[in-house]
Amino acid sequence: MELYKTLEQAGLDPVKVALSSVGQLYAMSEDNLLSFKHSLVVESFKFHYQHNEFFRHACDSRGVLPSQILTADDLIKIPLIPIHLFKANDNHKLLSKGLNTIELEMRSTGTSGIPSVSRRCSDTVDNAILGIYAMYREFLKLSKGAGLYLCPSTEEIPEMGMIKALNLLAGLLDTHKFMVKNETFAPEDALEQLKGWGGTFDRHIIGPPFLINRFIRYLKATNTRLKLDKNTFVITLGGWKRFSGDMLSRAEFNQECIEYLGVREEQIRDVYALVESNVIAIDDENGVKHVSPFVHFSVRDPKNLEREVELGEIGQLAILDPLSRSTPGFILTEDLIRLLPKKDGAGGSGQRMQYVMRLPESKEFGCCAVNLDKRLDDLELEQQTACPIVS
Amino acid sequence: MYNDIIIDNFSNPKFVGDLESADYKFEIGNPVCGDRIHMQVSFDGDYIRESRFRAWGCATSVATANIFCGSIIGKSVNEISARKNSEISDMLGELEPSQQHCINILSELHRELSLAVSLEEG
């Protein structure tokens, strides 16, 4: 609380300072970082308690007041918003600010087809963008190169959260191209584009795992082995479960990237993000995901959500996100994760996570990528089964 | 970003819910972006007595569904079908480019209502 107050007394916004100090936050001791995150979350809790009738009612009915969240151990008392409420047709009640303050609506649509819509005011958009860029810079250090986007463009689907987050990367690159257009993907064109950039740019491949996997399947089928550049990144964001329910194996995916794209394992980086939250977690060179240091993950026992599981145990992810001003950022997700202990010699404080799977009782899985993958599958099937007609 | 018509209809939707007995039900949606509106309408003779909706999607599309419900109560299908495109777009007020697709949603609601009623009668 001391650091928070010092920043505030100096006329600074502690959230904005945190967003621009990712490296410094990771360099803090675990206790100091947790204490600072506690201050950020408590202030956010106060704001939403004051301005959001729906959330305040939920707090009052549980007898929880902001004044009771005195230490980091008390964070577990903050009432959580189940993530499915972002899909509810009365999700206007989640707003802590009037609709006239909302600058950006983003969505994700999983297997149910019902969109989860998150609404961000200007302040939240500022926080989200600063936070995402700060994490991209911290873990990827990208400032040049060419991005082969194996996904549709934001021009085609501007409101899709996953595409928006990936598109932010494009601003760090010299050039980029979206290879999925009008729900079609021609891997031959992707290959040509990569060849065209060869020798001029570091070539990065960016997209949801399914679509990168689809490109690798093409390379495999044509026995094409590429050798991308030493600074190449293969950056994935989105689910690993297909519409059919089959899981893509991360280990297998990595192996195929190594074999067919000619990259080293540390060049493959997966990103965990949710459209409803402003957190992202990015793989380091060892494949360990680091959570944004200004957001707190609390992993709950799915059978008793008021209890946190031990470090290393699998549980249901609750996110305490102080960046969100338009809706409370205290969200109970349907994702099962585990927080990982810091390995000896691994520098930096902060939370490390491993995504495990979507909660088995969850009514749906996936994001917009899962529907796109299905659509591409359906189109392929249509082409294969089309009756040959001679005209 | 949002005009007052959209703010009011999104923030205080009077017609969200279900009818106990609907004479007609129809749904419109966009499979890519996921916008979906489910409508229910009941009649008293030739005139619409009640209308309710459930909507999933952007704030403007949710508001559009509420505006549509409010605009058809007490009217006959013939009156509603006679609305010109300019009248339909005026119902939503001034929209930003990212919200313009809701004019199509509102036009589609008009078309689907006429279609649902004519199919039933035919």
Side-chain angles (χ1 to χ4, degrees):
Chain A
M1 209 56 167
E2 211 174 299
L3 174 59
Y4 188 98
K5 281 185 180 154
T6 305
L7 292 169
E8 210 174 30
Q9 282 163 5
L12 297 170
D13 176 346
V15 173
K16 297 287 191 296
V17 174
L19 291 165
S20 57
S21 311
V22 169
Q24 289 79 359
L25 291 174
Y26 283 135
M28 280 181 166
S29 69
E30 291 289 356
D31 284 349
N32 284 347
L33 176 58
L34 186 56
S35 166
F36 185 51
K37 280 200 296 188
H38 161 259
S39 313
L40 296 174
V41 171
V42 168
E43 289 305 313
S44 173
F45 182 30
K46 280 183 195 164
F47 175 83
H48 294 292
Y49 183 84
Q50 280 169 13
H51 295 94
N52 187 315
E53 194 183 331
F54 168 73
F55 183 63
R56 184 168 56 250
H57 179 70
C59 295
D60 290 347
S61 65
R62 295 170 64 96
V64 182
L65 292 168
S67 58
Q68 293 168 344
I69 314 300
L70 297 171
T71 69
D73 289 340
D74 297 323
L75 291 173
I76 195 166
K77 295 177 188 166
I78 296 176
L80 301 169
I81 297 193
I83 201 158
H84 66 79
L85 290 189
F86 285 86
K87 289 177 183 285
N89 62 70
D90 59 349
N91 62 10
H92 61 88
K93 67 188 180 189
L94 298 180
L95 289 176
S96 300
K97 292 180 165 186
L99 186 65
N100 55 340
T101 69
I102 299 302
E103 178 184 322
L104 182 66
E105 284 187 313
M106 282 198 289
R107 67 177 73 191
S108 177
T109 309
T111 49
S112 74
I114 296 174
S116 184
V117 181
S118 64
R119 302 187 168 96
R120 286 172 170 82
C121 60
S122 294
D123 203 12
T124 308
V125 174
D126 285 346
N127 292 343
I129 288 176
L130 290 170
I132 291 170
Y133 267 126
M135 287 293 284
Y136 282 159
R137 284 291 301 153
E138 180 71 19
F139 288 96
L140 304 173
K141 290 275 185 277
L142 278 174
S143 55
K144 59 182 184 295
L148 186 82
Y149 277 76
L150 300 186
C151 58
S153 68
T154 39
E155 185 181 354
E156 274 193 32
I157 38 177
E159 65 285 332
M160 284 297 175
M162 178 194 71
I163 310 286
K164 194 91 175 168
L166 288 177
N167 191 47
L168 287 179
L169 271 174
L172 299 171
L173 303 173
D174 300 311
T175 183
H176 66 282
K177 194 159 184 185
F178 290 96
M179 301 309 301
V180 177
K181 285 175 190 153
N182 301 317
E183 299 181 335
T184 57
F185 169 55
E188 305 87 333
D189 296 347
L191 183 58
E192 269 316 296
Q193 186 59 71
L194 277 181
K195 285 180 180 167
W197 283 331
T200 311
F201 298 107
D202 287 329
R203 294 162 293 177
H204 308 291
I205 298 186
I206 300 162
F210 309 121
L211 292 176
I212 296 180
N213 178 251
R214 197 173 275 273
F215 181 51
I216 291 174
R217 281 194 336 241
Y218 168 79
L219 297 177
K220 228 170 157 176
T222 55
N223 198 25
T224 308
R225 283 175 170 75
L226 301 174
K227 177 74 188 125
L228 294 183
D229 312 292
K230 69 171 183 169
N231 296 319
T232 287
F233 279 118
V234 176
I235 299 168
T236 54
L237 171 62
W240 289 79
K241 195 172 181 179
R242 303 194 68 196
F243 202 93
S244 58
D246 299 336
M247 282 291 283
L248 270 182
S249 150
R250 175 75 198 270
E252 221 171 277
F253 177 85
N254 282 7
Q255 197 46 50
E256 290 184 339
C257 285
I258 292 166
E259 195 174 338
Y260 290 96
L261 300 175
V263 294
R264 303 180 310 279
E265 191 153 23
E266 60 266 30
Q267 292 175 278
I268 307 163
R269 304 295 182 92
D270 186 48
V271 180
Y272 174 83
L274 287 170
V275 75
E276 298 85 357
S277 172
N278 303 295
V279 69
I280 62 169
I282 304 183
D283 281 347
D284 64 16
E285 63 277 19
N286 300 308
V288 175
K289 277 190 182 61
H290 295 253
V291 179
S292 311
F294 25 76
V295 173
H296 188 65
F297 276 12
S298 167
V299 185
R300 308 292 174 91
D301 176 352
K303 291 187 179 126
N304 176 10
L305 291 168
E306 293 181 7
R307 188 184 84 82
E308 280 183 341
V309 298
E310 296 294 323
L311 189 69
E313 281 182 22
I314 296 171
Q316 191 169 348
L317 173 62
I319 299 175
L320 302 175
D321 168 15
L323 277 52
S324 181
R325 302 290 284 178
S326 39
T327 53
F330 319 120
I331 297 170
L332 180 65
T333 73
E334 294 179 349
D335 289 339
L336 293 178
I337 71 150
R338 60 160 68 96
L339 288 176
L340 303 172
K342 186 161 79 169
K343 284 188 182 159
D344 289 341
S349 294
Q351 294 176 301
R352 292 153 166 81
M353 70 161 283
Q354 182 185 28
Y355 177 82
V356 178
M357 62 187 287
R358 189 57 58 90
L359 202 65
E361 48 270 43
S362 174
K363 290 191 183 95
E364 72 169 311
F365 58 88
C367 57
C368 25
V370 85
N371 294 313
L372 184 63
D373 185 52
K374 181 176 187 299
R375 182 74 189 133
L376 291 172
D377 264 1
D378 291 347
L379 285 170
E380 255 179 29
L381 193 69
E382 269 173 35
Q383 282 163 5
Q384 283 164 14
T385 56
C387 179
I389 295 172
V390 178
S391 57
Chain B
M1 180 181 178
Y2 299 94
N3 68 49
D4 289 345
I5 299 172
I6 301 301
I7 290 172
D8 185 42
N9 281 275
F10 172 77
S11 308
N12 308 294
K14 293 189 182 85
F15 303 104
V16 69
D18 299 295
L19 291 178
E20 269 186 30
S21 73
D23 294 314
Y24 300 100
K25 292 180 184 176
F26 57 93
E27 187 169 298
I28 66 163
N30 178 330
V32 178
C33 73
D35 273 347
R36 194 190 296 182
I37 297 173
H38 180 74
M39 295 290 313
Q40 299 182 16
V41 178
S42 70
F43 275 76
D44 186 0
D46 288 340
Y47 297 92
I48 291 173
R49 185 176 57 228
E50 282 185 286
S51 177
R52 292 286 182 276
F53 76 94
R54 292 209 176 268
W56 298 267
C58 66
T60 310
S61 74
V62 174
T64 298
N66 197 60
I67 291 165
F68 179 69
C69 284
S71 79
I72 61 175
I73 293 171
K75 305 262 188 334
S76 70
V77 172
N78 283 344
E79 282 176 82
I80 296 162
S81 308
R83 286 177 184 156
K84 293 182 184 135
N85 289 341
S86 58
E87 283 178 76
I88 289 174
S89 73
D90 285 350
M91 288 164 68
L92 301 183
E94 190 182 352
L95 298 179
E96 293 193 353
S98 63
Q99 301 161 344
Q100 297 272 343
H101 68 284
C102 289
I103 297 172
N104 294 335
I105 288 177
L106 187 56
S107 300
E108 202 176 340
L109 286 171
H110 280 81
R111 273 197 305 277
E112 286 297 318
L113 174 67
S114 301
L115 191 66
V117 173
S118 63
L119 281 176
E120 189 79 11
E121 286 174 349

